[in-house]
């Protein structure tokens, strides 16, 4: 197993900008419009306008004259929205986390398009049928409050302690990508669905409750309202620049090593996109060398392209963070097929 990897990230719930388009599937009026609509999981747009998306979209608009209209939400939420609009497509580009990008592909929401530079993306970080490609690499993780909890917990089992009652929260599996990641990591670390659900049932005694948005948990941890929450490396690393009490950590099973798995932001061209050509141009731009070099320096993530070697201060700090962490590869085909059953099992175990 790898002990050093790449970052990706995240999930949430607030609509940042409604699209407001009248989609007419490839009509000349739609295709001539100088706009492109992006539906995305949260984490790459900065709350202060200083995120990777902010920089990339501004540069893209300046270079092409194409306006980017942006809608943000949880990974599952964005796929469900695109699915509801399947007969009247509004989005041109969909960016979401595994397993939701696979779900989008299996539901026919994406059309094949391999952006320029996709040949430099590792095979496991793009689909075999050319419908999606990772644009930012990232890892699943947790955060803790460094002031109230100077030393991060080391194991899942520690989180069952009474001191975490109402001081721990994780986002909702099946809705948030990082929430779904809690299930995936627990099933890996505990050795299967049943022992993972048994643990999460016990953990529920300390859990504050559901949250559709992972990004909203970090501010609560920073303020001390929570001691521990889930997240992902890219999003939390970016947030830590303005939230000094955030520390990133990776739980281990008692007696085992800390583990994580790659959770990249993966992008695809939406099937019947009203502005498909503009969508292709934006995907090309996000995978361009220039945009990829800004992934760590601005976004706090890892480049998706293997020929772009980040050497900035953020990249060095991120590499140190990943030292000694065991990176496993989930069986995404199994998760895509059985996600609903896993989420149902979690609901039953936790009474959610």
């Amino acid at each position: 197993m790898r002990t050093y990897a790449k970052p990706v990230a995240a999930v949430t719930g607030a609509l940042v900008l409604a699209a407001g388009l009248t989609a007419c599937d490839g009509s000349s009026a739609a295709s001539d419009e100088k706009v492109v609509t992006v539906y995305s999981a949260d984490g790459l747009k900065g709350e202060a306008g200083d995120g990777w998306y902010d920089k990339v979209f501004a540069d893209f608009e300046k270079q092409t004259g194409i306006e980017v209209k942006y809608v943000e939400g949880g990974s599952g939420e964005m796929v469900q929205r695109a699915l509801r609009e399947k007969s009247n497509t509004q989005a041109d580009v969909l960016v979401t986390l595994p397993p939701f990008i696979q779900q989008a592909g299996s539901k026919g929401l994406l059309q094949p398009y391999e952006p320029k530079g996709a040949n430099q993306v590792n095979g496991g970080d793009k689909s075999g049928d050319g419908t999606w490609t990772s644009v930012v690499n990232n890892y699943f993780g947790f955060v803790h409050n460094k002031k109230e909890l100077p030393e991060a917990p080391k194991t899942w089992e520690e989180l069952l302690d009474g001191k975490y009652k109402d001081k721990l929260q994780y986002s909702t599996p099946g809705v948030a990508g990082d929430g779904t990641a809690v299930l995936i990591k627990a099933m890996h670390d505990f050795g299967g669905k049943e022992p993972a659900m048994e643990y999460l049932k016990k953990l529920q005694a300390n859990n504050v409750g559901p949250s559709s948005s992972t990004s909203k948990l970090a501010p609560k941890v920073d303020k001390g309202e929570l001691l521990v929450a889930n997240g992902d490396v890219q999003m939390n690393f970016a947030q830590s620049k303005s939230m000094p009490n955030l520390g990133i950590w990776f739980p281990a099973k008692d007696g085992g090593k800390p583990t994580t798995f790659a959770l990249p932001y993966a992008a695809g061209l939406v099937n019947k996109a009203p502005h498909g050509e503009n969508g292709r141009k934006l995907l090309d731009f996000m995978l361009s060398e220039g945009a990829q070099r800004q992934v760590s320096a601005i976004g706090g993530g890892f480049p998706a392209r293997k020929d772009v070697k980040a050497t900035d201060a953020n990249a060095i700090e991120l590499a140190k963070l990943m030292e000694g962490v065991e990176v496993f590869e989930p069986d995404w085909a199994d998760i895509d097929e059985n996600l609903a059953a896993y989420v149902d099992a979690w609901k039953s175990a936790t009474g959610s």
Side-chain angles (χ1 to χ4, degrees), residues 193-211:
K193 184 180 76 169
E194 297 307 324
M197 298 309 158
E198 185 180 335
Y199 168 80
L200 292 170
K201 181 178 181 178
K202 295 176 184 175
L203 186 65
Q204 195 66 11
N206 289 342
N207 187 16
V208 170
S211 171

Side-chain angles (χ1 to χ4, degrees), residues 156 180-197 200 328 334-335 338-339 342:
W156 287 102
T180 306
V182 172
L183 288 189
I184 294 170
K185 178 170 156 59
M187 287 191 294
H188 171 271
D189 290 0
F190 285 94
K193 184 180 76 169
E194 297 307 324
M197 298 309 158
L200 292 170
F328 66 91
D334 169 76
I335 293 164
N338 297 301
L339 179 60
Y342 294 150

Side-chain angles (χ1 to χ4, degrees), residues 3 11 24 85 98 102 134 148 155 188 214 229 241 261 279 285-286 303 311 334 341:
T3 56
V11 164
C24 34
E85 297 169 351
Q102 289 91 340
S134 296
E148 302 292 333
T155 68
H188 171 271
T214 312
K241 299 302 181 183
F261 61 96
F285 194 83
M286 287 195 287
T311 57
D334 169 76

